[in-house]
Amino acid sequence: MIRIDSRQMVIVGLCASIVAAMCTVAVAEPQAMSVVASTEPQPAEQPRIVTMTFRPQAAAQPALRYTLLPDLLDQTPGNALPLYFLAIDLMENQEGAKMDAFGNSLIESLKKPLAELASSDEIRSLLERHHEVLAQVTLAARRETCVWDLPVREQGIHMPLPSLTRFRTLARLVALQARLQIAEGRNADACRTVQTGLAMARHMGQGPTLISALVAVAMAELTLDRVAELIQNTDAPNLYWALTDLPQSFIDARTPMQFEKSILYLTFPQLRNLADAALTPEQAQALSDEIVRILDSRETGWNARLAAAAVAIKVYPIAKQHLVSLGYTPERMEAMPVQQTILLYWLDQYTRSRDEMFKWFSVPYWQAAEGLRAAEAKLAENPDRLLNPCIALLPSLRKAHLRTTMPDRSIAALRCIEAVRLHAAAHDGRPPTQLDDITLVPIPIDPITGAPFRYEVNGNQILLEGPAPVDGSPKDGLRYEMTLTQ
């Protein structure tokens, strides 16, 4: 015999009243769905391939003659963010209604061969037109801080975000300036512009959200591509120590991760002290309804109310038993409203799942990947997650960790390439047969796999490759196909 306590009877009564009310609501006939499958073959995904030609080159003297982030002596006190916004205003005023077309033109210009840029008066005219924009970005990149000062604590998930699209346009404009300087053989000027691009990416990564960190990754990768182009210039300096001098975790995602970890409590601050709160049934129901309304949009209107009642019937006995196992006394449980009991159960589920994933963000990706996969698989296999709206706030941390590690992989690969140039300069222009043959400088591992990069030599043809991670997409691989000339 199934026993139903008084609290479940209240839920059943609520469910019955909702069903009765819904009988008066017209229900639309289901619509037929048409699905058309594409018969055209889809191109296979490939790793990112970078083709390079370069010469042997010894280390710069002094070793840090070139740096890829602004030196402390070149920085000035102040907040960079207002200058970036000023640069965006100047750029928008210059382009007006053609702003989107301008952004697209930058994308196309970044694809052009360097030789074509060197002879392009159009590109020079474009950069001259935006001279003041670039001047403001250069100043901003050399400010000591970048304080976003967004209302994170006050608004949580409701916080409006500034448009980050224009920041990417600024980064492309800076990258185009660097490309022209490289094409014209102005290596020192190109290094300074690379400093601007990389500092701007670091500033973007100091924003409070995961979105800003991912935009920072794109900006960093865009600028590191310029370093790969600069290395190929005639008489290009060897940038091994300049690359080694960069921060080991180039995009520091700690601030965005703190936001993501705290977002539920920032959005619903009442939840922080829920265990000690003396809520009335009406207050507990109102809080639960608000959480479901904001985090779970699968149902609306009467459907939402019916779904909530059905969930309460299913979850309440489980929630009650779970809280008792945590040490809640029967007296305390009896005094607690149904929805408060369910909310506390949801919070405990959410916090355990959250921490099982977030703890892995404190270790390198190659060490964290398996743990993140296991935590995400465990969550996906738990059928109760579909009844807990708080779970919807958990991001895919494995993908986020992978993305934010990508610039570190690019830096490590470029360090290997510069180490090859160092070795060749000391050995009559001959490349090492394997990376272990290089003794002049340390050789970094691949930050994605935790293993050495794959390295092959065939005459003057060199291959350096970082494979895609386990369970990752082939396009997450990185492959340098290089030719060493004299």
Side-chain angles (χ1 to χ4, degrees):
M1 179 177 179
I2 300 175
R3 298 184 63 184
I4 302 179
D5 67 21
S6 60
R7 296 171 185 276
Q8 289 172 281
M9 289 298 295
V10 171
I11 300 172
V12 172
L14 174 62
C15 187
S17 66
I18 294 174
V19 172
M22 287 185 65
C23 292
T24 64
V25 179
V27 179
E29 291 293 327
Q31 301 296 311
M33 181 179 292
S34 175
V35 179
V36 179
S38 172
T39 58
E40 295 186 5
Q42 299 298 314
E45 290 186 331
Q46 298 290 330
R48 182 166 172 259
I49 299 175
V50 181
T51 304
M52 300 176 65
T53 300
F54 51 71
R55 295 170 174 79
Q57 182 62 54
Q61 294 297 329
L64 294 177
R65 176 182 175 185
Y66 300 95
T67 59
L68 299 180
L69 281 174
D71 188 86
L72 176 66
L73 297 176
D74 296 326
Q75 296 176 27
T76 56
N79 184 10
L81 198 59
L83 291 175
Y84 288 129
F85 281 121
L86 176 57
I88 289 171
D89 285 343
L90 291 170
M91 181 172 62
E92 291 179 334
N93 290 339
Q94 181 68 242
E95 296 302 327
K98 299 179 181 179
M99 190 63 208
D100 290 341
F102 172 68
N104 291 332
S105 72
L106 290 177
I107 294 173
E108 293 305 314
S109 296
L110 289 170
K111 297 176 183 178
K112 293 180 179 180
L114 287 175
E116 186 176 334
L117 286 187
S119 60
S120 174
D121 291 335
E122 179 184 354
I123 296 299
R124 289 186 179 85
S125 175
L126 182 153
L127 292 172
E128 180 59 33
R129 191 168 76 244
H130 289 280
H131 170 77
E132 189 56 38
V133 174
L134 291 164
Q136 296 304 318
V137 175
T138 301
L139 288 173
R142 285 155 181 83
R143 286 290 192 259
E144 289 181 345
T145 60
C146 186
V147 181
W148 287 80
D149 199 24
L150 296 175
V152 174
R153 294 181 181 276
E154 296 86 352
Q155 296 182 303
I157 200 173
H158 303 297
M159 179 184 69
L161 292 175
S163 173
L164 302 182
T165 302
R166 296 298 187 241
F167 281 87
R168 295 192 68 170
T169 304
L170 279 182
R172 292 184 181 114
L173 185 63
V174 170
L176 183 59
Q177 181 185 42
R179 293 200 81 216
L180 181 60
Q181 292 164 340
I182 294 167
E184 294 176 340
R186 294 188 284 139
N187 296 335
D189 290 341
C191 276
R192 179 172 170 80
T193 304
V194 165
Q195 288 180 357
T196 300
L198 290 181
M200 187 179 178
R202 293 266 294 171
H203 283 162
M204 175 60 67
Q206 293 171 20
T209 67
L210 185 55
I211 294 173
S212 60
L214 296 178
V215 172
V217 167
M219 294 166 65
E221 290 283 73
L222 178 69
T223 308
L224 290 169
D225 284 347
R226 312 292 71 84
V227 176
E229 290 176 328
L230 176 58
I231 286 171
Q232 300 177 71
N233 251 2
T234 302
D235 299 326
N238 191 298
L239 298 176
Y240 174 88
W241 287 113
L243 289 158
T244 306
D245 192 47
L246 293 172
Q248 290 192 5
S249 294
F250 189 78
I251 301 300
D252 184 359
R254 175 168 290 274
T255 296
M257 285 301 105
Q258 288 291 325
F259 174 79
E260 296 293 339
K261 182 173 178 285
S262 306
I263 191 170
L264 179 65
Y265 296 98
L266 291 171
T267 306
F268 307 102
Q270 312 95 305
L271 296 179
R272 294 190 66 182
N273 301 309
L274 184 63
D276 299 322
L279 300 183
T280 66
E282 293 76 16
Q283 290 172 327
Q285 185 66 53
L287 177 57
S288 177
D289 289 347
E290 182 185 11
I291 291 172
V292 172
R293 178 181 61 82
I294 293 174
L295 302 184
D296 187 354
S297 59
R298 288 176 296 180
E299 302 288 355
T300 58
W302 285 112
N303 285 340
R305 294 180 65 185
L306 178 60
V311 167
I313 293 174
K314 179 178 178 61
V315 172
Y316 177 68
I318 302 172
K320 187 176 180 180
Q321 183 178 2
H322 181 74
L323 293 187
V324 169
S325 73
L326 296 179
Y328 286 73
T329 64
E331 295 78 16
R332 189 178 178 189
M333 295 303 308
E334 192 62 30
M336 190 178 294
V338 170
Q339 286 304 136
Q340 187 173 0
T341 302
I342 293 173
L343 284 172
L344 285 170
Y345 172 61
W346 281 348
L347 281 180
D348 189 67
Q349 272 193 321
Y350 165 82
T351 302
R352 290 171 187 269
S353 297
R354 180 199 68 183
D355 289 0
E356 279 302 304
M357 291 191 289
F358 274 83
K359 70 182 184 183
W360 290 107
F361 221 90
S362 300
V363 297
Y365 176 81
W366 63 272
Q367 293 177 319
E370 185 56 41
L372 283 169
R373 270 193 294 271
E376 291 178 353
K378 182 178 179 181
L379 179 61
E381 292 167 1
N382 182 2
D384 290 342
R385 78 189 189 283
L386 300 177
L387 304 176
N388 187 342
C390 301
I391 297 295
L393 281 177
L394 293 176
S396 175
L397 281 196
R398 183 163 57 92
K399 292 182 179 179
H401 204 345
L402 173 63
R403 295 267 77 80
T404 55
T405 305
M406 285 300 187
D408 301 329
R409 167 182 264 189
S410 296
I411 292 168
L414 290 170
R415 285 179 63 199
C416 290
I417 292 168
E418 288 299 70
V420 168
R421 291 215 296 154
L422 281 174
H423 179 96
H427 293 82
D428 300 322
R430 298 189 306 274
T433 56
Q434 55 187 9
L435 290 177
D436 285 345
D437 291 344
I438 300 174
T439 58
L440 293 172
V441 291
I443 301 301
I445 62 171
D446 180 350
I448 300 296
T449 65
F453 287 95
R454 177 189 169 206
Y455 177 83
E456 294 180 2
V457 177
N458 183 9
N460 68 340
Q461 302 298 306
I462 304 171
L463 169 71
L464 185 79
E465 185 173 29
V470 177
D471 297 339
S473 166
K475 65 183 179 182
D476 291 328
L478 178 62
R479 180 185 178 99
Y480 288 88
E481 297 176 353
M482 300 166 286
T483 302
L484 179 65
T485 63
Q486 301 301 322

